[in-house]
Amino acid sequence: MKDIVENRRRIPLEKKLSIAAIMLRENGVIWCASFATYYAASTLAQQAFALMDRQRRLYAVPGMNSRALNKAIWESWDWNAGGEEWTPSEPWKKAIIEYVLHGFMPKGGRVLEIGPGAGRWTGELIQRADALTGVDISASCVEVCTEKFGSTGKATFMVGSGHDLSGIETASVDALWSFDVFVHINQAEVERYADEFNRVFKPGAIGIIHHGSVGGARGGWRSNLTHEAMLDLLKKRGFDIVDSFKEFTHEGTTHQTGLYEDVITVFRKPMA
Ligand SMILES: C[S@@+](CC[C@H](N)C(=O)[O-])C[C@H]1O[C@@H](n2cnc3c(N)ncnc32)[C@H](O)[C@@H]1O
């Protein structure tokens, strides 16, 4: 919609009027009235989005990304599709698993997954880990994952506050995975999580986080976190950035890490 609104602004008024005349002749009144409604509504929607964006930047309102809203929304989500509604294609998912998960996650050890949802990535993580703990702000996700993976004997799930890891022991984690979660968490809460990564990571532990990069400017219910802010806040806490990318090429095909210019950042806690 954004593209359509921006592109049509470049057409001068007299051309728009002659285009409207052709449209009326070729499509009739009902179609044209519907088009006019769509045209006006999309312009209004674009202006409303810009106003919301301004409010977030000027007054730091949390938008759709507060802990309370994340909890309320994800506790009422219908998890029957298992989170696969966010998988654009099977080849994309295979590439994320092979290039990102297998490529950067160490084998064995204790894995922490933040926001497992209905376990779209959890089964794969459990297969590689010695043990996995999933922390999610939503009690319904914890229930779904416990039912799906509890019998493996390798996985436990707990409800978290949404910005700390108080249930996780200090220096106990070898690797962290979080996909499609930090895209929804505002910077202030990401900063608190990053403090916790420092506490719970063992020296040398790896973190892999999928997150937003443009502070919500492209929509998609993304948080105010930007790419620069994410890299800065990790570096400030002493983490080394291993890689940070919007797209990657696997077996000859280039894939986006996500929609709305999302990024995957891989970071490491230095050896003591
Ligand atoms: C879009 S779903 C993604 C679920 C899963 N990771 C996947 O990729 O299918 C977002 C998940 O993040 C969780 N979540 C949202 N905010 C969170 C927070 N502040 N801390 C922990 N989990 C959070 C939600 O409860 C939900 O499980």
Side-chain angles (χ1 to χ4, degrees):
M1 175 123 73
K2 205 176 162 80
D3 278 350
I4 296 168
V5 173
E6 276 165 13
N7 286 336
R8 73 192 183 205
R9 276 203 200 108
R10 296 188 200 115
I11 303 175
L13 182 64
E14 65 277 12
K15 286 273 176 220
K16 278 186 186 157
L17 290 175
S18 69
I19 289 170
I22 300 170
M23 278 164 53
L24 187 61
R25 195 171 62 237
E26 293 186 343
N27 297 287
V29 173
I30 294 178
W31 189 92
C32 282
S34 308
F35 179 83
T37 308
Y38 161 76
Y39 189 104
S42 58
T43 303
L44 198 64
Q46 186 79 0
Q47 284 166 358
F49 184 88
L51 193 62
M52 282 155 53
D53 199 42
R54 224 172 111 76
Q55 289 268 311
R56 262 165 66 133
R57 281 166 217 285
L58 285 181
Y59 306 112
V61 298
M64 293 289 283
N65 308 101
S66 68
R67 285 187 299 142
L69 270 178
N70 264 314
K71 189 173 177 63
I73 291 163
W74 299 114
E75 288 198 334
S76 3
W77 196 257
D78 175 354
W79 288 104
N80 279 322
E84 298 299 345
E85 60 269 49
W86 302 301
T87 298
S89 69
E90 271 310 308
W92 174 86
K93 185 171 181 187
K94 183 172 171 281
I96 292 280
I97 289 173
E98 290 177 0
Y99 181 88
V100 186
L101 197 154
H102 294 177
F104 293 104
M105 292 288 284
K107 267 198 163 173
R110 176 166 290 277
V111 169
L112 168 66
E113 184 178 12
I114 298 183
R120 181 161 56 133
W121 312 100
T122 312
E124 194 63 40
L125 292 167
I126 290 173
Q127 273 185 33
R128 289 173 72 82
D130 292 329
L132 176 140
T133 307
V135 178
D136 202 297
I137 200 168
S138 153
S140 58
C141 293
V142 167
E143 246 171 65
V144 170
C145 283
T146 304
E147 197 170 310
K148 268 193 190 167
F149 304 110
S151 61
T152 60
K154 282 165 86 178
T156 50
F157 299 91
M158 59 179 80
V159 178
S161 68
H163 62 194
D164 71 25
L165 296 166
S166 53
I168 308 292
E169 266 177 53
T170 299
S172 65
V173 168
D174 295 285
L176 159 74
W177 172 267
S178 188
F179 203 97
D180 241 345
V181 179
F182 281 73
V183 295
H184 299 305
I185 305 179
N186 279 332
Q187 187 177 335
E189 275 109 39
V190 177
E191 302 248 9
R192 292 202 52 179
Y193 264 134
D195 288 338
E196 285 286 77
F197 300 158
N198 238 336
R199 180 181 69 76
V200 303
F201 275 24
K202 292 179 186 170
I206 279 275
I208 302 173
I209 294 186
H210 167 254
H211 59 89
S213 73
V214 292
R218 298 272 180 280
W221 179 18
R222 268 34 189 169
S223 80
N224 63 6
L225 187 68
T226 63
H227 194 180
E228 298 71 36
M230 181 64 165
L231 298 183
D232 271 8
L233 71 88
L234 290 170
K235 284 185 207 158
K236 265 188 202 138
R237 286 161 178 86
F239 292 105
D240 295 329
I241 306 299
V242 177
D243 209 342
S244 191
F245 49 95
K246 283 188 186 170
E247 58 178 36
F248 61 98
T249 301
H250 179 58
E251 292 178 346
T253 304
T254 298
H255 300 274
Q256 303 302 307
T257 61
L259 300 167
Y260 313 105
E261 300 194 39
D262 293 343
V263 170
I264 290 175
T265 293
V266 183
F267 58 102
R268 187 193 303 276
K269 179 167 177 160
M271 298 304 284

